[in-house]
Each structure stands twice: as C-alpha cells, then as structure tokens.
Amino acid sequence: MKKFFLTYSVFPLIITSILSGGITGKINGYVTNQNGEPLPGANIILEGTNRGAAADQSGYYVILNIAPETYSVTAQMIGYKAVTFTNIKVNPDRTALLNFSLSEEALAGEEVIVMADKPLVQVDRTFSEYIITSDDIERSVMVKSVGELISLEPGMDINGRGMIRGGDMNSIAADVVYYVDGVKMISNDGLSLHNYTGVGKYDIESISIITGGLSAEYGNAQAGIINIVTKEGSKDFHANIEYTNELPGKHHWGPNYFEAAEHKGHMQWDDPEWVSEKDSLTGELVHKKVDYTQNWGYAVQGNLSGPITNNISFFLGGRTSHSAVNGISPMTHSADNYNATWKLSFNLHPKITLKLGGMNSSSWGFNSGGGTAGIRSAGKEIFLPMNEAAAGRTVNTDQMNYLSFTHMLSEKTYYELRISNSINTQTPEDTPDSTSEIHQDEEGWFYLPRKIHAFSKGERKRLGVKFDFST
C-alpha cells in the first residue's frame, strides 16, 4: 500500500476570522461620579503597559487588542480619587466589562483599590466555552501535556486525544479545529497533525475551548474549537523547567497479556519443545515473554523568556518525553520526539507592534501495517520482535511560523495583518523493497516476523494571509 500527499495552498487576503482565531481581548465600560453622572475625559490606564483610553461624552471607554493576561486597570480624573481594579483577567475573543465610580477627593493623591470579581454572566458569550488560564496550568502539577490538560474540561475526550463528542481534528471532516496563536491548524487533507500537542503546558497563556453554539466565523467546525495562545516575553527574565517521572506497572485491567483467555490452548509454557522453538529464518527463539510492567517513563519541559532591549522581548520553550509503553508493542518507550515554541515581540511604537513566532516538532513511529508486536489479530502478533516493524517507520516533522503586525489607528480602531506558513512532512525509513509471505510458528497460530512493502509519504505546505480591521 502506497500513499502520497502533496498539497500547496495559498489563502487570499480576507477580512474575516475563518483562518485565524482571536488571540486578544478587550476591556470596556463606563466612568461615572458617585451620583452616576458620566465623567467625560477621565483617563483609564492599563497598568504595566503604555495602553489606555479616555472616556467619551457619555463616560464610555474601550481598550482594544489586549494580550491575554491578568491586569490592574486604573481610572483617574483631576478632582477625584483614582480607582484601581486588580486581578482583571483578559481572555482571547472576550470582553471584560469594568465600570468605574469615582468620588471627589478630599486630599490630593487619594486612591481606591478594588479586587475584581469574576462576572456571574458573560454577556458577550452566546456559546458553551471553557477557559484555561496560565494560573490554572500552574496549579495542574499532575498534568504532563496539553492533551491531558484539555481532557479535564467538560465535553472533551478523557484520553487526551482532543476529541469533542466523537469529533476530532484528523478526520476528513475536521470536526474539531485547533488554533495556535491565531493560526488555524488545518489537518483534513490526509496528513496527521501534531503541532497543538507540541506546545509545552508552561508555554501557554490561555486555552479557550468552545464546545457548542459555534458562530459562522469558525467555518465548518462541527464539534468544537480549541484556541491556544502562547506566552510572550516580559520586562523581566523568567525561566522554568520541569521533570516528571512515570512509574512502571500493569496499566490495564485483567490478567497479564501473556495469560489472557484468548491465548488458551496456545500458550504452552510447560512444554519445553514449544518454549525452545526457533524461527527457521532468523534462528531466534519464537516464544519469548516481555515484562512490559517494568518500563519507567519521563518528560522534560522548560522555557526561558525576558527582554532583549527595552522594546524587544523573547520567549523560548521546549518539551521532550520518553513515555513508557505499558503493554505489548515494538517499543518499550515512546520514540524520540522534540517540540519547540518561540516568539519575538517588537514594540516599535506605543501603537505599533510586530510579532514573529512559531513551533517546530519532530517524531517518528513504526508503521503498524500488518507487522508490529501487539495484541491485535486475536493476540497472534504478541511474539513479534521488539524495536522493529515489518514495514519500517515514518518520521513526522511539523513546522509553523507566523508574522503579526498590529497598528492602533485610534483608541477605538486598529488593524492586524497576519501571515503564516506551515510545512508538514511524512518521510518513510527502512521500508522493505518487497512483501514476504506470512510466517507463523509450528502450530500455525502466532505470527513470526516478515517484510511488508507499505508506507505513507507526504508533504503539505500552506501559506495563510489574514487582514482584520476592527472599530
């Protein structure tokens, strides 16, 4: 069986959100005095940034294009006490409503600080949505990957496969659509996609999961949307590293696989002749037990971020894992895999920002077509050898890079240009030139190793261009 995929797509300039998920939010509200009268001209400041707004004649203000994070917001006006709300959480594609009531000050410099509460009802949300923040991730110390993190939310597949009500991202329908930093991870053209799971959990600022009531901006996503926004560098240096172990054991129900009921009458460990049987082609023992309950695993992930200059910051993250295979498989541990996330942020002007970012991942796996150790085919493949497969292996590489340019034309108007490029490849290795006959033990029950000429090969290149204008 041979499979070849080669696609190249260029998306035209559009003024919609179908190819890009929102990665910023906004704050709006009204500024009034203690009598409820508007205070036009009041200044609203997003602390720690150079962003802010001024209230109009009705006291209304809005601050657009805010990166997802937790902020303090201050409203001030001459003759009135300044009021600061802390713990204001901004989420992608969401609006934080914040109303200020200023009272006249008796002494110059008086200030009121208020701890913000999460609103009971989010008036701008018309669908089922769950948001995972960086604070939530910090508290989830037992969760090792993004897939596991997402699986904890209502409506998600509990096995960490990113499925919502049976729909997934790798089917032809692509019922679940993933966005990473505003770039749509398209995966319904025959190649599997690994990018979203390659993001280290501590590299993420927020994850938005929409499981119902999807709007038209998300195209044909039938089951749900998962929108991941990665972190940016800050004014200070930060570093994080985590090492986790996976304990060995029998991670399945029922007896040991070699003692399963389906092998009754075929496992003859009391028969010396059966135990000492050798493969006529390789000279190796045919019936050998593998103690799959003693495999340890580990995962390592970390990141480094900080300033390069006063106006340029960076973020670098990486992750690798060596997960134990607690079952019958051609490998005792997961194959080598490496994932990296990066982002450069340029504050070119108080109203102009430029961001460059991307992700890279690589991994490989044995081709499973008719010749890897396992418990399929009524357990007949259980004695196939370790560290090899009849059809060789496949190396997967995924690369996504993007450029984002944002220009605030006024307090209430801005535009964003986003250009993204992704390359995904599948490359076969160690593929046999031909397929040999089925080979079994003397009883004619258990399969023995053979060669199978079967592989998947493909390359996908995509260029995405998106222009948003908001006012």
Side-chain angles (χ1 to χ4, degrees):
M1 177 180 62
K2 301 180 181 179
K3 298 180 181 179
F4 294 91
F5 304 99
L6 178 59
T7 65
Y8 184 84
S9 302
V10 177
F11 298 108
L13 189 66
I14 54 176
I15 310 180
T16 69
S17 297
I18 292 185
L19 292 180
S20 295
I23 63 172
T24 62
K26 66 179 181 180
I27 298 175
N28 70 359
Y30 289 87
V31 184
T32 61
N33 61 19
Q34 62 267 40
N35 298 319
E37 299 170 339
L39 293 177
N43 293 315
I44 299 87
I45 301 169
L46 196 63
E47 301 290 350
T49 73
N50 54 13
R51 302 291 307 285
D56 62 15
Q57 292 298 316
S58 63
Y60 176 78
Y61 75 93
V62 60
I63 306 176
L64 302 173
N65 194 39
I66 306 174
E69 201 175 318
T70 300
Y71 296 93
S72 294
V73 185
T74 299
Q76 58 187 21
M77 190 172 183
I78 296 176
Y80 292 85
K81 296 178 183 178
V83 175
T84 298
F85 278 92
T86 63
N87 198 37
I88 303 300
K89 185 63 184 177
V90 175
N91 295 306
D93 266 348
R94 300 271 66 80
T95 300
L97 180 62
L98 201 57
N99 293 324
F100 292 89
S101 178
L102 307 186
S103 57
E104 295 183 5
E105 62 178 350
L107 298 174
E110 286 188 279
E111 182 177 6
V112 178
I113 299 178
V114 182
M115 177 70 74
D117 294 323
K118 182 178 180 180
L120 298 178
V121 177
Q122 293 179 291
V123 296
D124 65 330
R125 191 173 75 182
T126 59
F127 40 74
S128 300
E129 182 182 30
Y130 306 94
I131 296 176
I132 304 172
T133 66
S134 57
D135 293 334
D136 298 328
I137 296 173
E138 292 285 345
R139 292 191 292 266
S140 304
V141 293
M142 299 302 293
V143 177
K144 293 180 290 186
S145 67
V146 175
E148 292 180 8
L149 191 67
I150 292 174
S151 70
L152 299 177
E153 298 303 310
M156 300 300 300
D157 171 62
I158 62 174
N159 296 312
R161 294 174 296 180
M163 301 174 66
I164 300 178
R165 297 189 302 276
D168 62 30
M169 69 179 298
N170 288 321
S171 66
I172 295 299
D175 296 322
V176 179
V177 177
Y178 283 80
Y179 292 88
V180 178
D181 283 342
V183 180
K184 184 177 181 181
M185 302 287 101
I186 301 176
S187 61
N188 59 346
D189 57 359
L191 287 179
S192 60
L193 193 70
H194 316 281
N195 271 340
Y196 87 94
T197 57
V199 182
K201 69 174 187 177
Y202 295 120
D203 303 346
I204 294 174
E205 184 62 45
S206 71
I207 304 176
S208 302
I209 303 171
I210 303 175
T211 60
L214 301 175
S215 62
E217 68 173 302
Y218 294 113
N220 65 344
Q222 302 298 313
I225 297 292
I226 298 177
N227 188 17
I228 298 174
V229 179
T230 62
K231 290 181 177 179
E232 297 183 18
S234 62
K235 295 184 293 184
D236 302 313
F237 286 99
H238 297 276
N240 175 75
I241 188 167
E242 179 184 84
Y243 175 91
T244 56
N245 266 330
E246 180 183 2
L247 297 176
K250 190 186 75 171
H251 295 256
H252 64 82
W253 298 107
N256 185 289
Y257 284 132
F258 291 97
E259 300 170 0
E262 60 189 354
H263 301 313
K264 186 176 181 180
H266 301 291
M267 292 288 186
Q268 306 171 40
W269 298 108
D270 295 330
D271 184 350
E273 185 175 344
W274 185 86
V275 172
S276 60
E277 180 183 342
K278 293 185 177 182
D279 187 340
S280 60
L281 299 180
T282 65
E284 298 290 332
L285 288 174
V286 170
H287 309 116
K288 293 186 294 186
K289 282 187 178 180
V290 175
D291 189 359
Y292 60 86
T293 66
Q294 298 301 312
N295 299 330
W296 289 72
Y298 70 84
V300 181
Q301 55 187 322
N303 56 55
L304 176 66
S305 62
I308 298 177
T309 67
N310 289 335
N311 298 319
I312 304 174
S313 63
F314 74 95
F315 185 94
L316 297 173
R319 181 180 186 274
T320 184
S321 63
H322 197 55
S323 303
V325 176
N326 304 113
I328 306 300
S329 166
M331 296 185 290
T332 58
H333 293 80
S334 62
D336 298 334
N337 59 93
Y338 305 96
N339 307 280
T341 306
W342 66 279
K343 185 182 292 186
L344 287 174
S345 302
F346 301 82
N347 293 316
L348 305 178
H349 183 272
K351 294 185 177 182
I352 300 176
T353 59
L354 173 68
K355 296 178 183 178
L356 304 174
M359 297 177 297
N360 295 271
S361 69
S362 65
S363 63
W364 67 268
F366 285 122
N367 293 326
S368 59
T372 55
I375 57 174
R376 298 174 301 277
S377 304
K380 294 183 179 182
E381 299 176 350
I382 198 170
F383 289 120
L384 290 177
M386 301 289 291
N387 300 316
E388 68 176 80
R393 66 178 190 170
T394 299
V395 177
N396 301 291
T397 61
D398 301 281
Q399 180 180 357
M400 188 276 285
N401 300 294
Y402 67 87
L403 176 151
S404 172
F405 181 82
T406 306
H407 185 192
M408 297 290 300
L409 299 177
S410 67
E411 293 177 354
K412 298 181 180 180
T413 303
Y414 78 96
Y415 67 85
E416 180 185 49
L417 173 65
R418 183 175 298 271
I419 302 173
S420 62
N421 175 63
S422 64
I423 303 174
N424 310 88
T425 64
Q426 289 183 339
T427 306
E429 292 186 354
D430 304 325
T431 304
D433 295 329
S434 60
T435 300
S436 59
E437 296 293 331
I438 294 176
H439 189 36
Q440 294 178 290
D441 63 358
E442 291 182 0
E443 183 191 4
W445 181 257
F446 293 107
Y447 290 123
L448 302 184
R450 65 174 180 134
K451 302 298 182 183
I452 298 178
H453 182 67
F455 62 91
S456 295
K457 181 178 182 180
E459 182 179 39
R460 178 184 62 200
K461 297 181 179 180
R462 292 189 182 275
L463 174 66
V465 179
K466 175 177 177 283
F467 181 81
D468 266 336
F469 181 85
S470 180
T471 186

